[in-house]
Amino acid sequence: MEGKRKRKLSVAIITFNEEKNIGDCIRSIESVADEIIILDSLSTDRTKEIATSFSKVKFYESPFPGHVEQKNKAIGFCSNDWILSLDADERADKTLVHSIDSFLESETTTVDGFKIARLTYHLGRWIRYSGWYPLRRYRLFQKDAATWVGENPHDYIELKPGSIGKVMKGDILHYSFTDFSHQITTINQFSSIVAYTRYAKGERFSLAKTMFKPFGKFLEIYIFKFGFLDGIPGLWIAIASAFSTFLKFAKLYELDRKYVERPSNVRKEYGKN
């Protein structure tokens, strides 16, 4: 396939203790990648050993300042004009791999970035509602036309003004949580990051938001985004999302009242470039 291609592709992945995921992630995309950039935030497991066993991988290490900052840093290590950004717990499905290969073989393009749908597996099934699918975001883009932005850890690619984007066929398969306990652990971690980030930007505790926002989030996920069509997992997702919303405000309260300088599960290097 590579001999026919008119353009080359870099794949950028950030990691931290991803020994259970990184191999499958790389295998899903290596057939269309010219290089695979791994930017690791000092893993203590076998992530480096597994990743560097693949010939196309270029492995770098750096302390973790935040999701947006680390993903932009990973882009900086890419040597090709076109970049596909993946998380370690994601895979490219066969349709997506074929779409990427066809694009790389095409003669010309006026597109600067492609949005790709992400399909998440959770609680024994693929989640097709609850606001989780298709949730298309830019993931394949020209290096000089895009940057990671957003509120950590909820980052996303933004194309520069005047850029042209399209939707690409295929899905990114997301194996986000091993079980419900893993989801709760992630919610606890991410809500701490959000609270810490918002406090640093000047946001302060609001009792009214703490009381009403979680209920609104449940209705949004379960009713307005059809979470009920995902069965019991959809109900669990809606409840967990409401709980996550509550945690963000509860932790903002701790910070606002100076009970803590930072949530205990936020790494010390977080927020430092």
Side-chain angles (χ1 to χ4, degrees), residues 1-11 29-35 56 80 82 96-108:
M1 288 192 294
E2 293 183 15
K4 302 178 183 178
R5 292 180 189 151
K6 306 303 180 183
R7 53 188 64 84
K8 293 185 176 181
L9 177 70
S10 296
V11 177
I29 202 65
E30 64 177 335
S31 66
V32 291
D34 292 281
E35 65 173 9
K56 292 182 179 180
N80 296 311
W82 280 92
L96 178 58
V97 170
H98 177 74
S99 296
I100 292 173
D101 190 51
S102 297
F103 166 70
L104 296 176
E105 291 178 3
S106 62
E107 291 290 340
T108 60

Side-chain angles (χ1 to χ4, degrees), residues 109-170:
T109 181
T110 58
V111 177
D112 300 294
F114 290 91
K115 288 184 175 181
I116 303 171
R118 186 171 75 169
L119 181 61
T120 298
Y121 189 82
H122 188 38
L123 298 174
R125 68 190 295 171
W126 294 106
I127 305 299
R128 296 189 177 276
Y129 301 95
S130 303
W132 283 20
Y133 185 79
L135 198 63
R136 294 185 178 91
R137 295 286 186 268
Y138 287 109
R139 290 300 198 90
L140 179 62
F141 50 88
Q142 287 204 70
K143 184 176 183 178
D144 61 356
T147 186
W148 282 96
V149 298
E151 178 185 60
N152 282 322
H154 305 297
D155 46 46
Y156 60 93
I157 281 288
E158 183 175 78
L159 296 186
K160 293 180 179 179
S163 299
I164 299 173
K166 287 187 177 180
V167 173
M168 178 168 279
K169 290 183 180 180

Side-chain angles (χ1 to χ4, degrees), residues 67 89 122-123 132 152-154 174 176-196 198 214 217 221 233-252 254 263-266:
H67 292 79
D89 60 2
H122 188 38
L123 298 174
W132 283 20
N152 282 322
H154 305 297
H174 189 208
S176 183
F177 311 114
T178 55
D179 55 19
F180 194 64
S181 293
H182 185 197
Q183 184 182 6
I184 296 302
T185 298
T186 302
I187 285 172
N188 187 35
Q189 180 186 12
F190 280 13
S191 61
S192 293
I193 293 171
V194 170
Y196 183 67
R198 289 181 181 177
K217 177 59 69 171
I221 298 298
L235 178 60
W236 284 186
I237 289 168
I239 294 172
S241 297
F243 179 56
S244 175
T245 301
F246 162 74
L247 285 179
K248 294 168 188 175
F249 291 109
K251 293 174 182 181
L252 193 60
E254 286 186 307
S264 59
N265 59 348
V266 174

Side-chain angles (χ1 to χ4, degrees), residues 52-72:
T52 54
S53 68
F54 292 87
S55 61
K56 292 182 179 180
V57 166
K58 297 178 181 178
F59 194 89
Y60 302 91
E61 294 175 296
S62 175
F64 188 70
H67 292 79
V68 171
E69 296 83 357
Q70 195 80 333
K71 288 183 178 181
N72 280 324

